[in-house]
Amino acid sequence: MIRISAADTIDVRFPTSQQLDGSDAMNPDPDYSVAYLTLSTDAGDDLVGAGFVFTIGRGNDLAAAAVQTVADLIVGESVEELLSDLGATYRRFVHDSQLRWLGPEKGVIHMAIGAVVNALWDLKAKRAGLPLWQLVSSMTPAEIVDLVDFRYLSDALTPGEALEILERAEPGRADRTAHLLAHGYPAYTTTPGWLGYSDEKMLRLAREAVADGFTQLKLKVGGNLEDDIRRLALARAELGPSIKIAVDANQRWDVPEAIAWVRELQPYDLAWIEEPTSPDDLVGHATIRKALGSTPVATGEHIANRVMFKQLLQLGAIDVMQIDAARVAGVNENIANLLLAAKFGVRVCPHAGGVGLCEAVQHLSMIDYVAVSGTTENRYLEFVDHLHEHFVDPVRIVDGHYVAPTAPGAGTEMTADSLVHYRHDGRYGHGGD
Amino acid sequence: MIRISAADTIDVRFPTSQQLDGSDAMNPDPDYSVAYLTLSTDAGDDLVGAGFVFTIGRGNDLAAAAVQTVADLIVGESVEELLSDLGATYRRFVHDSQLRWLGPEKGVIHMAIGAVVNALWDLKAKRAGLPLWQLVSSMTPAEIVDLVDFRYLSDALTPGEALEILERAEPGRADRTAHLLAHGYPAYTTTPGWLGYSDEKMLRLAREAVADGFTQLKLKVGGNLEDDIRRLALARAELGPSIKIAVDANQRWDVPEAIAWVRELQPYDLAWIEEPTSPDDLVGHATIRKALGSTPVATGEHIANRVMFKQLLQLGAIDVMQIDAARVAGVNENIANLLLAAKFGVRVCPHAGGVGLCEAVQHLSMIDYVAVSGTTENRYLEFVDHLHEHFVDPVRIVDGHYVAPTAPGAGTEMTADSLVHYRHDGRYGHGGD
């Protein structure tokens, strides 16, 4: 029997605050970091499962300790048993009653479960010789339904309804897979829009983005209203009416302030307003969306779990669901989120950037297209052009589209060099017996 | 200048799972634990500030590491500066952008901030020679308003409205303080109701509770419907119609299941249904409350922060707000919660039990009575009779009432013997320079 022989979590930090890459109204000086997990086996084939929690610096050691705590639960266990029923494996982590108290289903412990779940998916995909998106897209609708934890969802989505959604998409899977392999998945870019950039740098990067084939880009807002208006006016004048411009406030406002501020920006034709207020304020998002009328409301990168997404949909609070690969409890919970979005007819435009979030979340959008919603209409995957070189299989963008990855795995494995070079102080973990 | 000279966090665990004390439908075998913080100063007066995160076992080491991370931020700093503006001190922790990413404002990092904030309040109260409830109740309304973080609250509660609430209560403060000192604060007991107890043990403890002066008790439900009906019928027959019986499902159900299950229990006249579903499911609580009609809905012990409480109130989802001393970011955020409850006219019946939760939360109910809502009408503080002996100033119950504590501090300090005896493996922390 092949076993998980070791789980090693490393605290990896990049000094991004020095360049103001990633600067926004709430996060002036992020140091992009990952609590990075490697699951090894005694199969003798050198395949490892990689997963991570993404943070922005301080506290990354806490995330690493939490990942190690969860991963330790499976060291020594049968790889076959863990991977053959990843629905059960995931639910076992989330339902551990003592660990659950630390959330429940939110924050450090929940993200840590996500890292372990994603590492198991990475291992499963590598062992199957498939990229994650193709692995999941080759499962039957019933097998996919079984990945989900329907606890707390049944008033909005039942297993039967999920099965119907997946069965409806089944006939077109082969065509859409071929389309993805030929054309990729549409992307938008946030690279030009960081708050710490000068107008000149922003405009130069925006021009370059359009030249590179992007049809939507995103600017950070919420620091200072006059600056926001000036930057938006400059960008709109430069790009013309056909390029979409989304704006992102990173939770900066209270509800009344969000409504008043965004009204001042609406003349520049916003593709969406992202994170106008606290991610916990579901009712607030509904109020803002109603008040703003035509401007779509987007959130999700800090939405803690599927129960919160469910309510955003029930309340009619969002037009765009922005799933994140490393915030919830991994691939399994994000499949629940995709199914919820499909049920409510809301488009999914994932959050990415950070460290490895592009590499990880592209698989989820492709699963959504092939096996769930069956469409890319008005959907865009976020792209930010930094730190990709630290991954074994970095994302590739061609003509404003993510090229569908073909390498086996979930895209989450980092290069050995990067792990050595950017390892922070602490190290957690130990081998199995 | 007096400084914080050291912050030491200890992982303390009690093997409560051996007795099934604390067993419920979601938590079959809790080992009640605290990540316990001591803040020392160089004042030479032996006064320490104590605070803690409460957990139920596994992962308590993660809570301890998080507490230490937050506490390390203030080692070496001026005690006077930290304590003279505890509003600013608290907001500094919550607004740290890098640590915030780990929540935001939820889970391990948020509870850790709560432990540090509560330890600072304990130190401040000891230095003032007052119990915490009297210290806060002696502050001016404007000073109390300044303790709150109004971010994300202004659509429901403005600083001006908070000031009005506090000013309205100000004239009666002296009378209510005298009343508390003479009569205490009404309590209810959960001691008889754990799911792991036999019918005989439950009934014996219920009889004893009534003999001890309690007029409300609480039973755990949600494991098995037939068992719930039998236990409730037995309890109601034993206690008669005048004793209030609340029931607590500890998040066991989905929304439709909660409605169906509680309808079967309604004939036994429920004082409230507590935690019928996920604490994150604000919309679900509103749906359940509407469907159940006359049975009050209660939740709060796992509500992550004031933004979530705000929405429960905006949605009309609860009749009873159950604040917890160690779930949110400490005394400051709970004062926001008390003000929100007062604004919306909802009664506050805190969650307690665990380790030290009774000792800590009694102060908040007394602050509510003296300085905020000005009433104890239909309000009860939870009481569970275990583990009090580990605290320097354990709660005292007389005739079904919490005796108002008069010892200086926040009630959070544990005995040196208990800390030595129940210390778990790990130890975090180090002195300042």
Side-chain angles (χ1 to χ4, degrees), chain B residues 333-363:
Chain B
E333 191 164 27
N334 267 323
I335 288 174
N337 294 334
L338 295 176
L339 287 163
L340 281 165
K343 165 79 187 289
F344 283 83
V346 161
R347 57 193 160 112
V348 178
C349 300
H351 171 250
V355 182
L357 298 178
C358 297
E359 278 70 17
V361 86
Q362 61 177 336
H363 291 272

mmCIF file of all heavy atoms in Angstrom, chain B residues 333-363:
data_model
loop_
_atom_site.group_PDB
_atom_site.id
_atom_site.type_symbol
_atom_site.label_atom_id
_atom_site.label_comp_id
_atom_site.label_asym_id
_atom_site.label_seq_id
_atom_site.Cartn_x
_atom_site.Cartn_y
_atom_site.Cartn_z
ATOM 1 N N GLU B 333 -15.149 45.153 20.852
ATOM 2 C CA GLU B 333 -16.120 44.751 19.833
ATOM 3 C C GLU B 333 -17.430 44.319 20.478
ATOM 4 O O GLU B 333 -18.505 44.526 19.912
ATOM 5 C CB GLU B 333 -15.558 43.629 18.954
ATOM 6 C CG GLU B 333 -16.447 43.393 17.728
ATOM 7 C CD GLU B 333 -15.784 42.589 16.619
ATOM 8 O OE1 GLU B 333 -14.888 41.786 16.913
ATOM 9 O OE2 GLU B 333 -16.177 42.784 15.450
ATOM 10 N N ASN B 334 -17.356 43.765 21.694
ATOM 11 C CA ASN B 334 -18.610 43.402 22.358
ATOM 12 C C ASN B 334 -19.397 44.627 22.812
ATOM 13 O O ASN B 334 -20.626 44.573 22.906
ATOM 14 C CB ASN B 334 -18.339 42.438 23.519
ATOM 15 C CG ASN B 334 -18.468 40.993 23.062
ATOM 16 O OD1 ASN B 334 -19.336 40.666 22.239
ATOM 17 N ND2 ASN B 334 -17.613 40.121 23.576
ATOM 18 N N ILE B 335 -18.734 45.716 23.091
ATOM 19 C CA ILE B 335 -19.478 46.952 23.378
ATOM 20 C C ILE B 335 -20.217 47.407 22.113
ATOM 21 O O ILE B 335 -21.375 47.836 22.183
ATOM 22 C CB ILE B 335 -18.525 48.031 23.936
ATOM 23 C CG1 ILE B 335 -18.137 47.637 25.372
ATOM 24 C CG2 ILE B 335 -19.186 49.413 23.915
ATOM 25 C CD1 ILE B 335 -17.097 48.523 26.003
ATOM 26 N N ALA B 336 -19.586 47.268 20.958
ATOM 27 C CA ALA B 336 -20.299 47.541 19.699
ATOM 28 C C ALA B 336 -21.530 46.641 19.585
ATOM 29 O O ALA B 336 -22.616 47.103 19.205
ATOM 30 C CB ALA B 336 -19.368 47.334 18.506
ATOM 31 N N ASN B 337 -21.365 45.365 19.925
ATOM 32 C CA ASN B 337 -22.490 44.431 19.834
ATOM 33 C C ASN B 337 -23.618 44.819 20.791
ATOM 34 O O ASN B 337 -24.795 44.752 20.431
ATOM 35 C CB ASN B 337 -22.009 43.005 20.113
ATOM 36 C CG ASN B 337 -21.057 42.501 19.032
ATOM 37 O OD1 ASN B 337 -21.117 42.955 17.885
ATOM 38 N ND2 ASN B 337 -20.168 41.590 19.397
ATOM 39 N N LEU B 338 -23.264 45.230 22.014
ATOM 40 C CA LEU B 338 -24.287 45.669 22.972
ATOM 41 C C LEU B 338 -25.023 46.901 22.445
ATOM 42 O O LEU B 338 -26.246 47.016 22.596
ATOM 43 C CB LEU B 338 -23.640 45.999 24.323
ATOM 44 C CG LEU B 338 -22.995 44.842 25.095
ATOM 45 C CD1 LEU B 338 -22.325 45.361 26.364
ATOM 46 C CD2 LEU B 338 -24.018 43.758 25.432
ATOM 47 N N LEU B 339 -24.295 47.823 21.850
ATOM 48 C CA LEU B 339 -24.921 49.033 21.316
ATOM 49 C C LEU B 339 -25.844 48.705 20.142
ATOM 50 O O LEU B 339 -26.933 49.275 20.010
ATOM 51 C CB LEU B 339 -23.846 50.037 20.895
ATOM 52 C CG LEU B 339 -23.123 50.728 22.066
ATOM 53 C CD1 LEU B 339 -21.813 51.372 21.603
ATOM 54 C CD2 LEU B 339 -24.045 51.780 22.702
ATOM 55 N N LEU B 340 -25.402 47.779 19.278
ATOM 56 C CA LEU B 340 -26.259 47.349 18.164
ATOM 57 C C LEU B 340 -27.555 46.723 18.693
ATOM 58 O O LEU B 340 -28.650 47.024 18.206
ATOM 59 C CB LEU B 340 -25.511 46.325 17.298
ATOM 60 C CG LEU B 340 -24.486 46.892 16.319
ATOM 61 C CD1 LEU B 340 -23.570 45.783 15.806
ATOM 62 C CD2 LEU B 340 -25.168 47.596 15.149
ATOM 63 N N ALA B 341 -27.432 45.867 19.701
ATOM 64 C CA ALA B 341 -28.622 45.222 20.275
ATOM 65 C C ALA B 341 -29.568 46.267 20.853
ATOM 66 O O ALA B 341 -30.790 46.189 20.675
ATOM 67 C CB ALA B 341 -28.204 44.207 21.340
ATOM 68 N N ALA B 342 -28.995 47.254 21.537
ATOM 69 C CA ALA B 342 -29.822 48.315 22.124
ATOM 70 C C ALA B 342 -30.525 49.111 21.028
ATOM 71 O O ALA B 342 -31.718 49.437 21.145
ATOM 72 C CB ALA B 342 -28.954 49.237 22.987
ATOM 73 N N LYS B 343 -29.800 49.410 19.971
ATOM 74 C CA LYS B 343 -30.392 50.166 18.862
ATOM 75 C C LYS B 343 -31.586 49.431 18.271
ATOM 76 O O LYS B 343 -32.611 50.031 17.959
ATOM 77 C CB LYS B 343 -29.326 50.399 17.782
ATOM 78 C CG LYS B 343 -29.835 50.838 16.422
ATOM 79 C CD LYS B 343 -30.172 52.317 16.363
ATOM 80 C CE LYS B 343 -30.857 52.674 15.025
ATOM 81 N NZ LYS B 343 -29.954 52.632 13.871
ATOM 82 N N PHE B 344 -31.456 48.107 18.115
ATOM 83 C CA PHE B 344 -32.509 47.321 17.467
ATOM 84 C C PHE B 344 -33.510 46.734 18.470
ATOM 85 O O PHE B 344 -34.425 46.014 18.077
ATOM 86 C CB PHE B 344 -31.886 46.198 16.620
ATOM 87 C CG PHE B 344 -31.314 46.677 15.312
ATOM 88 C CD1 PHE B 344 -30.044 47.224 15.248
ATOM 89 C CD2 PHE B 344 -32.072 46.619 14.149
ATOM 90 C CE1 PHE B 344 -29.520 47.674 14.036
ATOM 91 C CE2 PHE B 344 -31.562 47.068 12.937
ATOM 92 C CZ PHE B 344 -30.279 47.606 12.885
ATOM 93 N N GLY B 345 -33.308 46.993 19.757
ATOM 94 C CA GLY B 345 -34.257 46.519 20.753
ATOM 95 C C GLY B 345 -34.269 45.013 20.936
ATOM 96 O O GLY B 345 -35.311 44.416 21.220
ATOM 97 N N VAL B 346 -33.123 44.402 20.760
ATOM 98 C CA VAL B 346 -33.016 42.946 20.931
ATOM 99 C C VAL B 346 -32.315 42.658 22.258
ATOM 100 O O VAL B 346 -31.365 43.342 22.634
ATOM 101 C CB VAL B 346 -32.237 42.339 19.748
ATOM 102 C CG1 VAL B 346 -31.695 40.965 20.072
ATOM 103 C CG2 VAL B 346 -33.125 42.292 18.504
ATOM 104 N N ARG B 347 -32.809 41.641 22.969
ATOM 105 C CA ARG B 347 -32.198 41.365 24.267
ATOM 106 C C ARG B 347 -30.906 40.577 24.117
ATOM 107 O O ARG B 347 -30.741 39.797 23.181
ATOM 108 C CB ARG B 347 -33.166 40.635 25.200
ATOM 109 C CG ARG B 347 -33.702 39.337 24.669
ATOM 110 C CD ARG B 347 -34.897 38.885 25.553
ATOM 111 N NE ARG B 347 -35.737 37.942 24.854
ATOM 112 C CZ ARG B 347 -35.866 36.641 25.178
ATOM 113 N NH1 ARG B 347 -35.211 36.136 26.214
ATOM 114 N NH2 ARG B 347 -36.654 35.849 24.497
ATOM 115 N N VAL B 348 -29.996 40.761 25.077
ATOM 116 C CA VAL B 348 -28.685 40.111 25.076
ATOM 117 C C VAL B 348 -28.656 39.073 26.197
ATOM 118 O O VAL B 348 -28.859 39.406 27.362
ATOM 119 C CB VAL B 348 -27.555 41.140 25.286
ATOM 120 C CG1 VAL B 348 -26.200 40.445 25.345
ATOM 121 C CG2 VAL B 348 -27.573 42.185 24.172
ATOM 122 N N CYS B 349 -28.439 37.823 25.829
ATOM 123 C CA CYS B 349 -28.290 36.730 26.800
ATOM 124 C C CYS B 349 -26.996 36.007 26.445
ATOM 125 O O CYS B 349 -27.003 35.097 25.616
ATOM 126 C CB CYS B 349 -29.472 35.763 26.732
ATOM 127 S SG CYS B 349 -31.072 36.516 27.090
ATOM 128 N N PRO B 350 -25.885 36.388 27.053
ATOM 129 C CA PRO B 350 -24.582 35.899 26.595
ATOM 130 C C PRO B 350 -24.403 34.389 26.673
ATOM 131 O O PRO B 350 -24.989 33.721 27.527
ATOM 132 C CB PRO B 350 -23.596 36.587 27.553
ATOM 133 C CG PRO B 350 -24.304 37.789 28.037
ATOM 134 C CD PRO B 350 -25.747 37.363 28.135
ATOM 135 N N HIS B 351 -23.552 33.912 25.781
ATOM 136 C CA HIS B 351 -23.056 32.548 25.849
ATOM 137 C C HIS B 351 -21.969 32.476 26.915
ATOM 138 O O HIS B 351 -21.134 33.372 27.028
ATOM 139 C CB HIS B 351 -22.451 32.150 24.501
ATOM 140 C CG HIS B 351 -21.713 30.847 24.519
ATOM 141 N ND1 HIS B 351 -20.344 30.749 24.402
ATOM 142 C CD2 HIS B 351 -22.165 29.581 24.661
ATOM 143 C CE1 HIS B 351 -19.983 29.476 24.443
ATOM 144 N NE2 HIS B 351 -21.058 28.748 24.605
ATOM 145 N N ALA B 352 -21.979 31.396 27.706
ATOM 146 C CA ALA B 352 -20.888 31.193 28.665
ATOM 147 C C ALA B 352 -20.670 29.693 28.826
ATOM 148 O O ALA B 352 -21.166 28.895 28.046
ATOM 149 C CB ALA B 352 -21.188 31.876 29.985
ATOM 150 N N GLY B 353 -19.910 29.331 29.830
ATOM 151 C CA GLY B 353 -19.499 27.938 29.990
ATOM 152 C C GLY B 353 -18.038 27.822 29.616
ATOM 153 O O GLY B 353 -17.236 28.717 29.903
ATOM 154 N N GLY B 354 -17.697 26.716 28.942
ATOM 155 C CA GLY B 354 -16.316 26.548 28.490
ATOM 156 C C GLY B 354 -15.337 26.693 29.635
ATOM 157 O O GLY B 354 -15.549 26.187 30.736
ATOM 158 N N VAL B 355 -14.269 27.407 29.361
ATOM 159 C CA VAL B 355 -13.289 27.731 30.398
ATOM 160 C C VAL B 355 -13.269 29.244 30.557
ATOM 161 O O VAL B 355 -12.899 29.962 29.632
ATOM 162 C CB VAL B 355 -11.873 27.267 30.005
ATOM 163 C CG1 VAL B 355 -10.888 27.588 31.141
ATOM 164 C CG2 VAL B 355 -11.845 25.793 29.663
ATOM 165 N N GLY B 356 -13.723 29.735 31.687
ATOM 166 C CA GLY B 356 -13.597 31.157 31.977
ATOM 167 C C GLY B 356 -14.572 32.068 31.249
ATOM 168 O O GLY B 356 -14.530 33.286 31.444
ATOM 169 N N LEU B 357 -15.450 31.491 30.436
ATOM 170 C CA LEU B 357 -16.378 32.361 29.707
ATOM 171 C C LEU B 357 -17.389 33.009 30.641
ATOM 172 O O LEU B 357 -17.784 34.158 30.432
ATOM 173 C CB LEU B 357 -17.083 31.579 28.593
ATOM 174 C CG LEU B 357 -16.168 30.995 27.504
ATOM 175 C CD1 LEU B 357 -16.978 30.204 26.486
ATOM 176 C CD2 LEU B 357 -15.359 32.089 26.818
ATOM 177 N N CYS B 358 -17.799 32.278 31.685
ATOM 178 C CA CYS B 358 -18.702 32.876 32.674
ATOM 179 C C CYS B 358 -18.004 34.031 33.378
ATOM 180 O O CYS B 358 -18.575 35.124 33.542
ATOM 181 C CB CYS B 358 -19.132 31.838 33.722
ATOM 182 S SG CYS B 358 -20.070 30.438 33.077
ATOM 183 N N GLU B 359 -16.767 33.777 33.805
ATOM 184 C CA GLU B 359 -16.015 34.790 34.543
ATOM 185 C C GLU B 359 -15.853 36.071 33.712
ATOM 186 O O GLU B 359 -15.898 37.182 34.239
ATOM 187 C CB GLU B 359 -14.627 34.241 34.919
ATOM 188 C CG GLU B 359 -14.595 33.357 36.163
ATOM 189 C CD GLU B 359 -15.255 32.005 35.998
ATOM 190 O OE1 GLU B 359 -15.467 31.579 34.836
ATOM 191 O OE2 GLU B 359 -15.585 31.354 37.013
ATOM 192 N N ALA B 360 -15.635 35.890 32.404
ATOM 193 C CA ALA B 360 -15.382 37.059 31.564
ATOM 194 C C ALA B 360 -16.663 37.765 31.145
ATOM 195 O O ALA B 360 -16.762 38.996 31.215
ATOM 196 C CB ALA B 360 -14.582 36.633 30.326
ATOM 197 N N VAL B 361 -17.663 37.002 30.721
ATOM 198 C CA VAL B 361 -18.805 37.638 30.059
ATOM 199 C C VAL B 361 -19.770 38.295 31.046
ATOM 200 O O VAL B 361 -20.543 39.171 30.663
ATOM 201 C CB VAL B 361 -19.535 36.628 29.138
ATOM 202 C CG1 VAL B 361 -20.573 35.821 29.894
ATOM 203 C CG2 VAL B 361 -20.155 37.339 27.932
ATOM 204 N N GLN B 362 -19.728 37.889 32.312
ATOM 205 C CA GLN B 362 -20.605 38.531 33.299
ATOM 206 C C GLN B 362 -20.386 40.042 33.319
ATOM 207 O O GLN B 362 -21.331 40.822 33.501
ATOM 208 C CB GLN B 362 -20.373 37.932 34.695
ATOM 209 C CG GLN B 362 -18.955 38.129 35.197
ATOM 210 C CD GLN B 362 -18.718 37.596 36.611
ATOM 211 O OE1 GLN B 362 -19.652 37.473 37.416
ATOM 212 N NE2 GLN B 362 -17.469 37.269 36.914
ATOM 213 N N HIS B 363 -19.128 40.446 33.127
ATOM 214 C CA HIS B 363 -18.844 41.890 33.137
ATOM 215 C C HIS B 363 -19.579 42.605 32.012
ATOM 216 O O HIS B 363 -20.031 43.732 32.169
ATOM 217 C CB HIS B 363 -17.333 42.126 33.020
ATOM 218 C CG HIS B 363 -16.570 41.714 34.242
ATOM 219 N ND1 HIS B 363 -16.367 42.568 35.312
ATOM 220 C CD2 HIS B 363 -15.980 40.546 34.573
ATOM 221 C CE1 HIS B 363 -15.671 41.938 36.250
ATOM 222 N NE2 HIS B 363 -15.425 40.703 35.826
#
